[in-house]
Amino acid sequence: MASIEFKERPYFVADTDRTWRSQAPIIGKRQFLLLLGSTVLFVGLCKKASAQPRYRIIDGWVLRAEDIG
Amino acid sequence: MILDFAAIDESQNYDVCIVGSGPAGMTCALELAKAGKQVLLLEGGDVSFSADSQDVYAGKTVGDPYFELDQSRLRQLGGSSGHWTGWCRYLEDWDFHEKGRNRYSSWPIQKSDLDPYFDRARAVLDISSIGANDPYSADILSPHFHYSTVRFAEKFGDSIRKSEGIRCAIRSNLLEILTDGNTVTGLRIADYAGSQKVVRAKAYVLACGGIENSRILLWNNEKSNGSLIKNASTLGTHWMEHPEANVGEAILTTQHFNFDEAGVCRFAPTALMMEREGILDCAIEVYEASAFHSKTGKIIRDLACIAPNYSRWAIEMLGKSLVCGSPVRAAWEQGPREDNRIVLSSDRDRFGIPRSELHWRKSDADLKTVRVMTQKVAELVAEKDIGRIRIDPWVLGGESEPAEKEPAGHHHMGGTRMGTDASQGVVDADCRVFGQPNLFVAGSSVFPSGGYANPTFTIVQLALRLSEKLATEV
């Protein structure tokens, strides 16, 4: 499996490192944080959805969500 | 030949004396006769039902509601095969291993030890084939049960009458096992008029059923001051049944269920699920019973309130392959426990022998099995969209279990369990009583655990195995 060599192709770098900054490309720090936040939110929502019981028991009947409407 | 008590020749020394002519005893006798052995087969009852004989089976039950003990078995030629339902199924690989973290649940033999007797057991029970399990999912499989119409007295009565090697003495009741402390030296027997005789053989087999084997050994051990069974710590204990109960009803599309010839579709857990959920074996049975179709209107009206989309679909399917109100029943494995046991009652039968007192209760672990398994099957049926199941409130834990007309399967197991040593059981892996080299026990009383399968098929396999062992020893 391919791995990302972080030092060779950083997504953001410290301001003090001019050499890396000049090579750093693609997205800035703000965009990266926005992307990271969105990803965390998406994963969280997915987990919450999957934690919901797939079946509901009403009056003893074991039903699917779409049965109920 | 079949003879009466008066015709028993006390001077003859038989190769093997078998007490009890049910599926275990009769199978043993026929196999030993085929091997050229002289067999005395003792039957306390008559060739057909007699009230005098049946009364010996009366006893007391303590604990959960259970059948009257004299209605749950038959004391006559052919034993309880004279009124059994006939369902047959073999025990699975995993039924021989420890389950539910209960060390008493494992057998000292494996399924592979009984497999060589599989085809011969099928022949005894007139079963053409037994299918393998069909998987429904990683958790649930569909086991096949097969129906036997064999009544042992009817099928094998003529063979016994004509046999040169078998003397089958009816109305001959075991009173006492005579022992010198090291071996069994004879059996004292009696008829209903009070006459007594002593019969002798090289080896003796108790094949009196899953309650009576314990009663006989408990009484004789007491009479011999413990010299018959030196370590009797497990004698009578770890008795088991297959509890049964109605667990709900179903609305289903029939073409998606594997209904057998009796209109029953069964679901059972895989070993993986039993391990993961900490449950024992269980069969959930869905019945394709048209007698319940009158409930269709009510079920669809009820569903319209809580699941309108499903109710609309069900209305469209009416008159096609939809069945409403199919009963859902469960029959499940009960873990072996010391406190479920046979003890000697203070009441005595006509021969002066204490009657059986059965102590039997279902534990929380037993009930967990049926709760988990019913819910898993209901979820599977919904997931595959082949129906919906309504689970009764008691199964979901909301109420106590209602009284059942049929609280169990009449499957009497344990009491003289098979163990690795005398502290673990009454008999060894060869069904030989520990410390008594010529005394053997046949039948479901030797089961250390019972799976969910009806026991007769395994009883016959074990009887064939025991007779092979005896044929080489005596």
Side-chain angles (χ1 to χ4, degrees):
Chain A
M1 186 182 287
S3 62
I4 297 168
E5 293 295 333
F6 200 78
K7 281 185 180 175
E8 290 175 7
R9 191 175 174 80
Y11 289 92
F12 69 93
V13 295
D15 284 346
T16 50
D17 190 335
R18 294 292 168 187
T19 310
W20 281 24
R21 187 180 180 81
S22 63
Q23 292 174 354
I26 309 178
I27 58 170
K29 185 176 180 180
R30 185 170 293 177
Q31 286 99 325
F32 176 78
L33 288 173
L34 194 62
L35 183 64
L36 183 67
S38 307
T39 308
V40 168
L41 187 63
F42 178 73
V43 170
L45 287 171
C46 286
K47 278 197 166 179
K48 191 178 177 188
S50 66
Q52 295 279 357
R54 294 166 67 193
Y55 308 98
R56 290 186 63 190
I57 301 179
I58 304 175
D59 291 349
W61 286 99
V62 178
L63 301 164
R64 291 157 62 130
E66 58 265 37
D67 296 341
I68 299 159
Chain B
M1 70 175 66
I2 295 178
L3 47 104
D4 206 350
F5 180 84
I8 295 174
D9 178 4
E10 283 184 278
S11 67
Q12 186 166 347
N13 198 355
Y14 296 91
D15 291 319
V16 182
C17 179
I18 300 169
V19 188
S21 69
M26 202 177 277
T27 302
C28 260
L30 289 163
E31 290 299 310
L32 286 163
K34 271 187 220 169
K37 304 299 175 188
Q38 291 296 310
V39 179
L40 177 63
L41 179 60
L42 298 172
E43 170 53 53
D46 217 320
V47 289
S48 57
F49 183 87
S50 84
D52 280 349
S53 170
Q54 194 64 22
D55 178 68
V56 175
Y57 272 172
K60 184 180 170 189
T61 60
V62 177
D64 286 349
Y66 194 68
F67 308 102
E68 294 293 332
L69 296 186
D70 56 343
Q71 292 174 14
S72 197
R73 49 202 178 136
L74 269 182
R75 198 168 187 271
Q76 63 184 56
L77 190 68
S80 296
S81 78
H83 70 176
W84 74 315
T85 313
W87 288 112
C88 290
R89 171 83 191 159
Y90 55 85
L91 290 176
E92 306 281 358
D93 276 329
W94 52 78
D95 288 323
F96 293 83
H97 299 137
E98 182 176 317
K99 273 187 280 185
R101 297 192 179 86
N102 181 346
R103 68 191 172 97
Y104 284 96
S105 62
S106 66
W107 293 55
I109 60 172
Q110 303 301 314
K111 181 172 178 289
S112 56
D113 293 306
L114 296 185
D115 283 343
Y117 308 96
F118 187 88
D119 288 335
R120 284 161 65 196
R122 280 199 304 110
V124 168
L125 292 162
D126 288 348
I127 297 168
S128 55
S129 66
I130 295 188
N133 300 319
D134 291 327
Y136 273 115
S137 69
D139 283 349
I140 295 185
L141 50 85
S142 171
H144 296 281
F145 281 64
H146 294 267
Y147 185 63
S148 167
T149 57
V150 170
R151 306 281 188 222
F152 276 68
E154 289 172 18
K155 180 176 177 183
F156 300 110
D158 273 350
S159 303
I160 288 174
R161 280 184 189 93
K162 292 172 187 165
S163 172
E164 290 291 315
I166 301 174
R167 301 281 184 278
C168 176
I170 55 169
R171 302 174 62 80
S172 303
N173 301 278
L174 175 62
L175 287 187
E176 186 178 2
I177 300 172
L178 306 171
T179 177
D180 60 10
N182 298 315
T183 59
V184 173
T185 55
L187 302 180
R188 187 183 307 282
I189 57 176
D191 68 2
Y192 293 91
S195 301
Q196 294 190 13
K197 289 184 177 179
V198 172
V199 291
R200 299 186 192 279
K202 293 174 191 159
Y204 301 85
V205 179
L206 277 186
C208 301
I211 294 173
E212 207 65 0
N213 282 345
S214 288
R215 181 172 86 118
I216 288 169
L217 288 178
L218 282 164
W219 170 237
N220 279 280
N221 206 39
E222 192 175 303
K223 278 190 81 169
S224 68
N225 292 321
S227 65
L228 184 66
I229 299 176
K230 279 103 183 164
N231 183 346
S233 59
T234 64
L235 178 57
T237 68
H238 300 88
W239 193 86
M240 298 160 291
E241 249 283 10
H242 288 137
E244 290 185 7
N246 287 319
V247 293
E249 61 184 348
I251 178 169
L252 53 90
T253 46
T254 51
Q255 74 269 28
H256 296 112
F257 284 76
N258 292 333
F259 289 110
D260 62 20
E261 66 256 53
V264 185
C265 176
R266 293 179 177 85
F267 300 85
T270 59
L272 181 75
M273 181 164 109
M274 280 188 275
E275 176 70 24
R276 191 185 66 236
E277 300 288 341
I279 61 170
L280 302 179
D281 231 337
C282 178
I284 299 291
E285 303 168 340
V286 178
Y287 288 77
E288 185 197 19
S290 58
F292 298 91
H293 291 188
S294 60
K295 297 172 83 178
T296 302
K298 182 182 184 310
I299 286 174
I300 290 184
R301 275 197 302 278
D302 290 350
L303 277 172
C305 300
I306 56 170
N309 289 350
Y310 193 77
S311 175
R312 270 193 291 278
W313 174 86
I315 289 167
E316 284 171 21
M317 292 295 290
L318 282 176
K320 296 175 186 170
S321 61
L322 194 76
V323 172
C324 286
S326 292
V328 182
R329 275 185 74 76
W332 64 100
E333 178 177 18
Q334 182 173 42
R337 295 207 328 263
E338 193 175 3
D339 54 341
N340 280 337
R341 61 195 301 161
I342 313 282
V343 298
L344 297 174
S345 161
S346 53
D347 293 338
R348 294 185 181 236
D349 66 18
R350 64 183 299 147
F351 301 105
I353 300 173
R355 294 186 184 276
S356 298
E357 185 173 296
L358 170 65
H359 292 240
W360 182 67
R361 284 184 180 82
K362 283 168 277 189
S363 69
D364 288 344
D366 298 336
L367 294 174
K368 181 186 173 189
T369 293
V370 69
R371 282 184 179 136
V372 170
M373 190 56 194
T374 307
Q375 198 159 333
K376 292 286 180 190
V377 170
E379 288 175 3
L380 176 85
V381 166
E383 182 189 321
K384 294 199 174 289
D385 213 10
I386 56 177
R388 298 291 183 272
I389 287 177
R390 185 190 60 72
I391 304 175
D392 285 345
W394 74 269
V395 181
L396 294 168
E399 297 174 1
S400 57
E401 186 182 351
E404 277 282 338
K405 275 174 71 181
E406 294 283 326
H410 301 276
H411 302 158
H412 310 145
M413 299 170 287
T416 66
R417 45 180 287 114
M418 191 187 280
T420 48
D421 58 57
S423 69
Q424 293 284 311
V426 175
V427 300
D428 66 13
D430 291 330
C431 298
R432 189 195 313 265
V433 173
F434 285 110
Q436 291 290 349
N438 66 341
L439 179 60
F440 297 81
V441 180
S444 51
S445 66
V446 306
F447 289 16
S449 61
Y452 63 75
N454 302 49
T456 303
F457 192 83
T458 309
I459 289 171
V460 172
Q461 283 181 298
L462 281 166
L464 291 165
R465 181 170 173 267
L466 173 58
S467 54
E468 202 169 272
K469 176 85 184 162
L470 284 169
T472 60
E473 275 196 17
V474 297

